Amino acid sequence: MGKKLTIFLVDGSETGPRTIEIGNWSGKALYSQRSSLPKIIERPEFNRPGVYILKSLPNNDNYNERIYIGEAENLKKRLKQHLADSDKDFIEFVAFISKDEMLTKSHIKYLESRIISLSKDAKTAEIDNAVQPELTTLPEADISDMEYFLEQMKLIFPVVNFMFLVPSTLKQSNDNIISSPQVSSDIIYTLKSKRASAKLIETEKGYVVLSGSQSCKQTSSSISEGWIKQRNKLIETGVLIDGGEFYIFNENAIFSSISAATAVVLGRQAAGPVEWIDVNGRTFKQNQEKKFESESNEE
């Protein structure tokens, strides 16, 4: 089922501050670049309790963003402290409040703890929070409300280009993933190259190299810097572990393109669609062509 998001550009600029709401949701998101924050911080929404996320440039080149997650009973007061702190070098922020003032101190601390935990599990961004706050004890009904609130937040983060909760791995076992409705087909692909043994499936979340697959340790000069960074991040986060002659995928790793998956596995630039074959020896490219040709003929 679809979701309707209402985005309001506060100053009419495509890059300026904005508010984001979802139909039938009591929450509201407030987004701004740091340079615009002093102009909108006097809005009445900032006097409310809320959860906020600060995005900075990463210290580690293997990541695309560095994230700090916090909560405050008065967002305006807390954000002004961050603006005055020279150590807080954030470039963008997003905050979440409740339009009906349902969020209490216990609620926002619960959300903060859950987001920190999810962000570390996602293994996508640098996380500045050194401490993992204990999960606040809430009544069962309140936990249900906060989990629903969190699900709406997760929809909004990518809309404002905060990607830190988009997971780089899938937690299910290989068997569970293959039988999942999220898998785009029932085809398991193996690598045609003799350099490494690996398996891949296509899912709604991306191209998944299955745990237990191998990755070549050596890299060639042809591989792009972006694939090197992605490979290094997988090593750093323990998704790729040392297996002697090869690196081994310790978890099911998600890639945005099949060529990215191929480059990380082979350690070189490669035409991904022709490197993976099914049990009948047909390449991923051939299966895609057959699939879309048949759909075109049906129309």
Side-chain angles (χ1 to χ4, degrees):
M1 182 180 295
K3 290 276 187 177
K4 178 184 176 182
L5 274 68
T6 302
I7 301 175
F8 176 68
L9 305 178
V10 174
D11 62 3
S13 167
E14 71 275 13
T15 58
R18 65 201 70 165
T19 64
I20 305 172
E21 300 178 56
I22 298 176
N24 299 319
W25 178 49
S26 63
K28 185 176 186 178
L30 308 161
Y31 163 84
S32 174
Q33 295 186 29
R34 180 176 184 145
S35 58
S36 300
L37 183 54
K39 293 189 295 185
I40 68 162
I41 204 169
E42 299 301 328
R43 289 175 62 93
E45 296 101 321
F46 285 89
N47 290 316
R48 296 182 181 180
V51 181
Y52 64 91
I53 295 88
L54 308 179
K55 180 164 77 170
S56 307
L57 295 174
N59 293 320
N60 187 325
D61 287 342
N62 296 328
Y63 296 92
N64 294 322
E65 58 186 12
R66 179 162 49 95
I67 295 296
Y68 176 81
I69 299 140
E71 52 81 19
E73 290 187 88
N74 184 293
L75 282 171
K76 178 167 69 175
K77 181 178 179 181
R78 187 68 178 121
L79 289 170
K80 282 186 173 181
Q81 292 173 346
H82 286 315
L83 285 168
D85 185 353
S86 59
D87 290 333
K88 290 294 183 190
D89 56 348
F90 67 97
I91 56 175
E92 296 174 78
F93 101 101
V94 63
F96 294 85
I97 61 164
S98 172
K99 291 181 291 187
D100 59 10
E101 301 183 4
M102 67 167 280
L103 292 180
T104 67
K105 179 68 172 178
S106 295
H107 291 144
I108 58 178
K109 288 186 71 66
Y110 178 92
L111 290 171
E112 177 196 37
S113 178
R114 287 283 285 124
I115 296 169
I116 292 173
S117 178
L118 289 171
S119 66
K120 291 181 177 179
D121 286 345
K123 301 180 179 181
T124 300
E126 279 187 87
I127 308 301
D128 268 352
N129 298 75
V131 178
Q132 169 74 52
E134 290 188 12
L135 200 60
T136 309
T137 301
L138 293 174
E140 186 177 8
D142 285 27
I143 291 175
S144 177
D145 286 343
M146 289 305 97
E147 288 298 321
Y148 178 77
F149 199 95
L150 179 58
E151 287 303 309
Q152 311 317 301
M153 294 172 67
K154 288 162 69 176
L155 292 176
I156 291 174
F157 282 128
V159 174
V160 290
N161 201 33
F162 278 61
M163 308 303 291
F164 68 105
L165 289 188
V166 178
S168 58
T169 62
L170 283 178
K171 296 299 183 183
Q172 301 106 307
S173 70
N174 290 351
D175 290 340
N176 288 340
I177 291 175
I178 292 166
S179 61
S180 168
Q182 292 183 344
V183 175
S184 301
S185 74
D186 57 357
I187 301 174
I188 302 175
Y189 291 94
T190 56
L191 200 61
K192 187 165 59 174
S193 171
K194 302 296 184 183
R195 296 186 63 197
S197 173
K199 293 183 178 181
L200 173 143
I201 58 173
E202 184 184 8
T203 76
E204 291 179 359
K205 294 183 180 295
Y207 301 92
V208 179
V209 176
L210 299 180
S211 63
S213 296
Q214 298 173 339
S215 172
C216 298
K217 282 191 169 181
Q218 292 186 332
T219 58
S220 73
S221 58
S222 69
I223 189 171
S224 73
E225 184 179 352
W227 303 152
I228 287 288
K229 287 182 178 180
Q230 188 165 7
R231 178 185 170 95
N232 288 342
K233 182 173 73 172
L234 293 174
I235 294 171
E236 186 174 325
T237 56
V239 178
L240 277 177
I241 59 174
D242 194 333
E245 184 181 354
F246 299 95
Y247 289 119
I248 304 297
F249 282 84
N250 192 39
E251 300 180 56
N252 303 299
I254 306 171
F255 294 87
S256 59
S257 74
I258 195 168
S259 291
T262 312
V264 169
V265 168
L266 293 178
R268 61 173 173 80
Q269 213 70 14
V274 300
E275 293 284 351
W276 298 89
I277 57 174
D278 63 17
V279 69
N280 297 313
R282 296 180 61 87
T283 66
F284 177 83
K285 179 181 179 181
Q286 289 171 329
N287 283 332
Q288 292 290 293
E289 290 172 346
K290 181 180 178 181
K291 173 184 175 182
F292 291 110
E293 280 176 5
S294 61
E295 289 181 358
S296 177
N297 290 336
E298 289 175 4
E299 294 176 1

